[in-house]
Amino acid sequence: MRWMMTALLGLAAWPAAALDTRFGPVEIAPVGEMEKGLLFQGEVLELPSGPYVAFIEAALHDWVLIAVSQGGNACATEYVWAKLSDSGVDFSEVFGTCAEGFELTEVPAGAKVTSPSVEVGQGPVSFIYDGERITEVQEPAQQVGWSIGDPGTFWLDSYVFDFFGAAELQDPLMEMMTPEALATAQENAELGGPFAFEGDWIVGSACEKLECETDRVAVAVSEDGARVVIVLSEAGQAPQLFGDTDGPLPASLRDLAPQ
């Protein structure tokens, strides 16, 4: 799954440190040594949450969307709207899912920022700003357009997170795994690299944030898409194999869960 911003203002390059508006320029500026603020009409204003990092991500009418972060990987990115006027700036509450990436669209109620959920298996979350408050809306899980039996090469350059989050795979996964094992696999799918070829298989692996030494999950899809095999490992437990385990397996899965 890839997320991007739908540009709503000119040809500005996003993200940016500064932006010209009809009320004058706005610019990300330091507040002391460890905090970023917003420079507007000659005054540096503190941003909600006192972020260590901030960028101007987009603009809609007189509203400026700012990405904020405390650094580190506990929460990659959140957002705040700055509503500009002759009298100054009004900030919205801080919002977001902590996941990177977003889509911005204009809706009748105002501006809608949609971000991926950090909960695998759940759809994205939308945050609608009407100029005064933020309303959060849980969107349905998204179809990815793949079913077991379709070519496994579909997953090349996608992530284990995407695999476990695909709406059309929830029922097949429930048939392969117990609800408890599936929930654990989804938790362990947080961090990892993209699927890649391993012989006649397309293989991806991931781990739970801050627990990568012990809590892992790997997924292998045969090139023809007919076989799906999942290996789940948790601290203090023997690795578990799920799916179509009859027949040869890719070496990386055999190493994780010897048969």
Side-chain angles (χ1 to χ4, degrees), residues 54-200:
F55 295 100
I56 295 173
E57 288 281 11
L60 175 61
H61 306 309
D62 295 328
W63 303 343
V64 178
L65 182 66
I66 301 170
V68 294
S69 174
Q70 300 301 333
N73 60 10
C75 182
T77 308
E78 293 182 295
Y79 302 95
V80 62
W81 282 105
K83 182 173 71 172
L84 310 182
S85 68
D86 285 323
S87 59
V89 179
D90 289 324
F91 293 108
S92 74
E93 62 190 270
V94 176
F95 63 92
T97 63
C98 287
E100 294 184 359
F102 71 96
E103 183 180 61
L104 171 61
T105 52
E106 186 171 9
V107 295
K112 181 171 74 170
V113 174
T114 303
S115 292
S117 173
V118 294
E119 300 295 331
V120 183
Q122 290 192 6
V125 183
S126 292
F127 301 88
I128 301 172
Y129 178 59
D130 64 2
E132 300 294 334
R133 61 187 60 83
I134 300 289
T135 301
E136 181 175 336
V137 178
Q138 175 66 59
E139 305 288 358
Q142 295 188 328
Q143 301 270 340
V144 299
W146 186 87
S147 299
I148 295 175
D150 293 340
T153 50
F154 173 92
W155 293 104
L156 288 171
D157 299 324
S158 294
Y159 294 81
V160 174
F161 185 98
D162 301 323
F163 180 89
F164 281 107
E168 59 266 59
L169 290 183
Q170 299 309 302
D171 287 342
L173 288 171
M174 285 291 290
E175 294 176 1
M176 292 182 199
M177 313 171 72
T178 65
E180 294 77 15
L182 178 56
T184 300
Q186 291 173 333
E187 291 174 1
N188 291 1
E190 289 184 315
L191 299 176
F195 279 90
F197 266 114
E198 184 180 328
D200 295 332

Side-chain angles (χ1 to χ4, degrees), residues 220-245:
V221 182
S222 60
E223 192 170 355
D224 63 4
R227 294 179 65 196
V228 172
V229 181
I230 298 166
V231 176
L232 179 63
S233 58
E234 283 279 293
Q237 300 179 26
Q240 301 177 74
L241 269 173
F242 302 94
D244 187 350
T245 59

